[in-house]
Amino acid sequence: MIPPQEASARRREIEDKLKQEEETLSFIRDNLEKSDQLTKNMVSILSSFESRLMKLENSIIPVHKQTENLQRLQENVEKTLSCLDHVISYYHVASDTEKIIREGPTGRLEEYLGSMAKIQKAVEYFQDNSPDSPELNKVKLLFERGKESLESEFRSLMTRHSKVVSPVLILDLISGDDELEVQEEVVLEHLPESALQDVVRISHWLVEYGRNHDFMNVYYQIRSSQLDRSIKGLKEHFRKSSSSSGVPYSPAIPNKRKDTPTKKPVKRPGTIRKAQNLLKQYSQHGLDGKKGGSNLIPLEGRDDMLDVETDAYIHCVSAFVKLAQSEYQLLTDIIPEHHQKKTFDSLIQDALDGLMLEGENIVSAARKAIIRHDFSTVLTVFPILRHLKQTKPEFDQVLQGTAASTKNKLPGLITSMETIGAKALEDFADNIKNDPDKEYNMPKDGTVHELTSNAILFLQQLLDFQETAGAMLASQETSSSATSYNSEFSKRLLSTYICKVLGNLQLNLLSKSKVYEDPALSAIFLHNNYNYILKSLEKSELIQLVAVTQKTAERSYREHIEQQIQTYQRSWLKVTDYITEKNLPVFQSGVKLRDKERQMIKERFKGFNDGLEELCKIQKAWAVPDTEQRDRIRQIQKKIVKETYGAFLQRYNNVPFTKNPEKYVKYQVDQVGDMIDRLFDTSA
């Protein structure tokens, strides 16, 4: 049960809270009433503002539409006036540009092209809007006249500024200057920069607006002429240089200063001169002999002009490649891309045809030379063919995109040269085998036959052109091995060919040696030729090439040489047989000789003396050009004769077989040796 006091306090507390809540409720009611009043006032204001905005909009929109219409009308008027001005300007184009067109584009190309652009637009306008108007004909005529002037200007610029490339510059271009520490690239300037820019601008205009490709024909005709003349100028340069100084040259251009040229030799291809120099070296060592004749034209008598023509042609081929590359670079700036290959094809035709024609002339000359057995002329094909094959990759690259007939010209020439070269090799081997044995052509002293020296000289020449000669031989092969042609196969073919020539030569020499009535002279002749062949093979790389297919060739030649020396030595038997011990009469010491015995001894002395004198007289006129071999043959024979004669003298030195011993003992042993030492020496 709650005490009365606590209940009273609780009631008062509740009453106080109730009173506070009533006061709060009364405050809220007052605020709500104020808020409702404010809301009503705001709604009234907004309704009034909306009404006013509607009235303003209804007043402004008609004004805005009127203003917009006025602006559109103004723009239409301005556009109409502009179009009228534009149209009117077309009617004045002819009169405004006629003077400029009449005077031409020279010296003011940009202004001229600007006038042509105005005329072009006028033509297009009248064609679209007034095709029957006289103004159209007027501007058309003016446009055609302007186009013709631009074509004439293009031709004039190309003609005036296209210059022939000098031989000096071409030689520097194809050979460079190896002596300079820093080699700078040689750049050809076919057209001055200003002229080139004008030509490019005109060509682009003619393609885009002129609808005319005739200028491309003008371009290739002018540039073709310059290219052809440049190559012909280089060829003429070789001729003049060789006639004046004997050696064509290319000036070196230090630091690219072309005002201070100095002479420098051109790198010349391997020609017959190398083999000739070898032959001269052999001659100095006593190996040469030219008294024997042959139906082969002597190689060492070859005209130097052949070398000049060969060098000139080789350099012209290289020049064509470099100049054609340069021409294509120039062409790409001037000729539209889809016309570049065709124009380039036409541009190079004259120069290329000239080179191919000259190459075919070389083939034709070689063919005629083969008929008359002039194989020295045929040798010109070798360096040319080698150079053509070396240059072919560059040729093919330059001729990319040209017609098939253009691309096939060089391969066709290479095939012709390989065929004629193979024919020359075959005919040369046959001529070596079949060279006739003419008595009046044989060397009287048994020296080296001209056929031998020519054959060796020809084979030595092939050393410089091993791959080329091998390719010639391979081109005639029909076996399956020829299809897998490589350098080793080439070397074997060439080795086989050289061995064939040497075999033919040996057979012919054996046949020729039978022309001599004296077997000893025949032996000396074969000895000299075999020795010359062997020494020539050893002094060049021919011996290594021969060894590819014949390992014992060197030993075989040495055996042949020894056999001929032995054959020669038998010629002395008729001298020594008189005094050999087996043929001497037998007698007893202290017993007086009978007349028959004395007569026999006298006959022995007389036979020896007469035989010695006869052989020395005859063999003194014979020749053994190789000093080493000559001394060796003398020493061997001198030893045999002196020993035999010494024993003979000693045997009869104190035998009284005659009252006049000086009549029979004409020579002492040393005198006999001196006589033999003078063999093979016409000056003795």
Side-chain angles (χ1 to χ4, degrees):
M1 179 130 190
I2 301 174
Q5 292 179 347
E6 289 182 6
S8 178
R10 180 78 174 169
R11 190 168 44 250
R12 284 195 300 272
E13 183 179 351
I14 292 171
E15 290 175 352
D16 289 340
K17 286 184 179 181
L18 181 61
K19 185 178 182 179
Q20 289 177 358
E21 292 293 335
E22 290 176 349
E23 289 176 353
T24 301
L25 181 61
S26 178
F27 178 76
I28 290 172
R29 285 196 187 102
D30 292 341
N31 284 334
L32 284 172
E33 290 176 357
K34 289 180 182 179
S35 177
D36 289 342
Q37 186 63 38
L38 289 172
T39 300
K40 291 178 180 178
N41 291 338
M42 181 59 68
V43 169
S44 177
I45 292 171
L46 289 174
S47 298
S48 176
F49 184 70
E50 181 180 6
S51 176
R52 290 180 182 180
L53 281 177
M54 290 180 65
K55 290 180 181 179
L56 180 62
E57 183 178 354
N58 292 333
S59 300
I60 290 299
I61 285 177
V63 174
H64 175 71
K65 288 182 178 180
Q66 290 177 0
T67 303
E68 186 177 6
N69 291 334
L70 289 174
Q71 287 176 342
R72 189 178 297 111
L73 289 172
Q74 183 180 1
E75 289 176 359
N76 289 339
V77 170
E78 289 177 352
K79 288 181 178 179
T80 302
L81 290 174
S82 177
C83 288
L84 286 173
D85 289 340
H86 184 65
V87 170
I88 292 171
S89 69
Y90 288 134
Y91 286 86
H92 294 292
V93 165
S95 58
D96 292 343
T97 60
E98 185 175 9
K99 181 181 178 182
I100 296 175
I101 299 303
R102 184 174 63 251
E103 292 176 353
T106 305
R108 51 174 180 177
L109 182 60
E110 288 301 323
E111 181 185 4
Y112 193 89
L113 292 178
S115 297
M116 289 298 293
K118 293 178 182 179
I119 298 171
Q120 173 74 11
K121 291 179 180 178
V123 170
E124 293 172 355
Y125 171 79
F126 288 121
Q127 283 178 337
D128 294 339
N129 299 281
S130 184
D132 297 328
S133 65
E135 284 78 10
L136 176 59
N137 293 331
K138 187 181 294 185
V139 291
K140 270 189 173 181
L141 289 174
L142 195 59
F143 183 81
E144 291 301 321
R145 188 191 307 169
K147 186 169 69 171
E148 290 174 359
S149 295
L150 283 172
E151 292 171 356
S152 298
E153 180 69 6
F154 182 89
R155 181 187 294 273
S156 176
L157 287 170
M158 291 298 302
T159 303
R160 283 188 285 115
H161 296 288
S162 291
K163 305 296 182 185
V164 173
V165 183
S166 71
V168 168
L169 192 55
I170 293 175
L171 289 172
D172 287 327
L173 180 69
I174 61 180
S175 63
D177 187 1
D178 297 332
E179 297 177 3
L180 293 179
E181 293 182 0
V182 180
Q183 182 175 339
E184 298 183 25
E185 183 181 359
V186 179
V187 179
L188 296 180
E189 185 183 69
H190 295 292
L191 296 173
E193 187 61 31
S194 59
L196 177 60
Q197 291 177 0
D198 287 350
V199 167
V200 171
R201 291 280 287 115
I202 293 173
S203 68
H204 288 176
W205 188 93
L206 289 173
V207 171
E208 187 173 357
Y209 302 108
R211 305 291 190 271
N212 189 340
H213 296 164
D214 290 345
F215 77 95
M216 299 182 195
N217 296 332
V218 172
Y219 177 85
Y220 91 70
Q221 288 168 1
I222 293 173
R223 294 307 309 167
S224 176
S225 174
Q226 300 304 326
L227 175 62
D228 192 40
R229 290 170 59 193
S230 297
I231 294 176
K232 288 179 179 176
L234 176 63
K235 185 176 181 181
E236 188 62 27
H237 171 76
F238 268 81
R239 289 174 177 169
K240 290 182 179 179
S241 298
S242 63
S243 61
S244 59
S245 62
V247 180
Y249 66 91
S250 166
I253 308 180
N255 302 321
K256 311 304 287 182
R257 290 185 58 191
K258 299 182 180 180
D259 55 335
T260 57
T262 57
K263 290 185 179 181
K264 110 181 154 174
V266 172
K267 291 181 179 178
R268 309 192 65 187
T271 61
I272 196 170
R273 287 202 178 98
K274 180 177 179 181
Q276 288 176 333
N277 290 337
L278 286 171
L279 187 61
K280 290 178 182 177
Q281 294 175 10
Y282 302 160
S283 177
Q284 291 170 359
H285 289 83
L287 288 178
D288 199 6
K290 292 295 179 295
K291 294 184 181 180
S294 167
N295 70 331
L296 297 174
I297 296 178
L299 298 182
E300 67 274 13
R302 184 170 182 250
D303 189 355
D304 285 343
M305 282 305 295
L306 284 175
D307 278 336
V308 174
E309 293 295 331
T310 300
D311 291 348
Y313 185 74
I314 287 173
H315 283 81
C316 285
V317 170
S318 295
F320 171 81
V321 173
K322 295 296 184 182
L323 292 177
Q325 289 172 342
S326 181
E327 286 291 345
Y328 190 77
Q329 292 173 358
L330 175 66
L331 177 143
T332 54
D333 293 330
I334 299 172
I335 304 299
E337 183 176 359
H338 54 287
H339 291 281
Q340 289 174 1
K341 294 296 184 181
K342 182 178 179 181
T343 303
F344 179 70
D345 197 343
S346 300
L347 188 155
I348 61 174
Q349 284 304 313
D350 286 349
L352 181 59
D353 286 345
L355 285 176
M356 295 302 106
L357 177 60
E358 191 171 349
E360 290 298 339
N361 289 339
I362 291 171
V363 172
S364 178
R367 188 175 292 110
K368 294 176 181 177
I370 291 173
I371 295 174
R372 64 177 185 270
H373 301 159
D374 179 11
F375 293 98
S376 62
T377 301
V378 179
L379 286 174
T380 60
V381 171
F382 285 75
I384 292 173
L385 177 58
R386 180 177 65 181
H387 186 71
L388 289 179
K389 297 182 78 170
Q390 289 173 346
T391 313
K392 188 177 181 297
E394 288 185 272
F395 242 99
D396 293 341
Q397 185 177 5
V398 169
L399 299 183
Q400 278 183 350
T402 58
S405 58
T406 302
K407 294 178 182 177
N408 292 334
K409 287 181 179 179
L410 180 64
L413 178 60
I414 288 175
T415 300
S416 295
M417 287 195 170
E418 282 190 334
T419 301
I420 198 64
K423 173 68 173 172
L425 292 175
E426 179 184 351
D427 281 26
F428 182 80
D430 290 342
N431 274 276
I432 292 297
K433 181 178 181 180
N434 301 321
D435 187 67
D437 307 324
K438 297 178 182 177
E439 184 174 354
Y440 62 86
N441 275 335
M442 293 296 291
K444 304 301 182 184
D445 56 2
T447 189
V448 178
H449 198 280
E450 191 172 41
L451 177 70
T452 304
S453 60
N454 278 346
I456 294 299
L457 189 57
F458 187 89
L459 295 179
Q460 286 166 348
Q461 183 61 84
L462 297 184
L463 288 174
D464 285 331
F465 309 103
Q466 293 186 36
E467 289 190 9
T468 304
M472 289 176 175
L473 296 169
S475 68
Q476 305 304 303
E477 290 286 323
T478 56
S479 63
S480 58
S481 59
T483 59
S484 58
Y485 170 73
N486 53 42
S487 59
E488 187 62 31
F489 179 68
S490 167
K491 181 176 285 188
R492 291 193 66 83
L493 278 179
L494 189 56
S495 175
T496 301
Y497 173 78
I498 291 174
C499 292
K500 176 183 177 181
V501 172
L502 292 175
N504 289 350
L505 177 60
Q506 186 172 341
L507 290 174
N508 198 308
L509 290 173
L510 282 170
S511 177
K512 289 183 184 300
S513 68
K514 296 175 182 178
V515 172
Y516 296 109
E517 296 180 359
D518 191 333
L521 180 55
S522 177
I524 289 295
F525 170 77
L526 290 175
H527 164 273
N528 286 333
N529 283 271
Y530 291 156
N531 184 64
Y532 177 86
I533 294 171
L534 177 61
K535 291 296 178 68
S536 298
L537 293 177
E538 290 176 337
K539 286 183 177 292
S540 65
E541 298 174 10
L542 279 172
I543 193 66
Q544 290 90 340
L545 200 52
V546 168
V548 172
T549 53
Q550 275 198 14
K551 305 293 185 183
T552 61
E554 185 174 1
R555 186 180 67 190
S556 177
Y557 273 110
R558 295 192 187 283
E559 290 174 354
H560 289 322
I561 291 170
E562 290 303 318
Q563 288 174 3
Q564 299 310 317
I565 291 176
Q566 292 172 13
T567 300
Y568 162 75
Q569 289 174 341
R570 284 198 288 270
S571 68
W572 282 84
L573 290 178
K574 62 182 180 181
V575 176
T576 56
D577 277 352
Y578 283 104
I579 58 174
T580 53
E581 186 173 353
K582 66 179 181 178
N583 294 326
L584 295 178
V586 179
F587 62 91
Q588 295 179 353
S589 178
V591 178
K592 184 177 180 181
L593 295 176
R594 296 180 299 215
D595 291 342
K596 182 179 180 180
E597 291 174 336
R598 286 196 296 271
Q599 185 61 33
M600 184 176 294
I601 295 173
K602 291 178 183 179
E603 288 176 356
R604 299 298 182 197
F605 272 104
K606 186 177 186 305
F608 173 79
N609 293 336
D610 292 346
L612 176 67
E613 292 171 356
E614 181 183 3
L615 278 186
C616 288
K617 180 180 179 181
I618 293 173
Q619 295 185 8
K620 183 174 69 173
W622 296 355
V624 179
D626 187 338
T627 305
E628 181 181 344
Q629 286 292 315
R630 183 169 62 240
D631 291 343
R632 178 167 173 264
I633 293 172
R634 286 172 175 171
Q635 291 301 323
I636 293 174
Q637 201 58 52
K638 184 167 63 173
K639 180 180 179 182
I640 295 172
V641 176
K642 285 180 67 176
E643 287 180 355
T644 305
Y645 185 61
F648 180 73
L649 279 183
Q650 186 176 7
R651 185 183 185 95
Y652 294 104
N653 191 35
N654 297 318
V655 176
F657 65 91
T658 180
K659 296 180 179 178
N660 301 308
E662 65 277 0
K663 179 180 178 181
Y664 297 97
V665 186
K666 295 175 63 175
Y667 305 104
Q668 296 300 316
V669 174
D670 290 340
Q671 288 178 308
V672 170
D674 291 341
M675 292 174 69
I676 295 175
D677 280 335
R678 290 194 291 272
L679 297 178
F680 318 119
D681 186 1
T682 55
S683 62

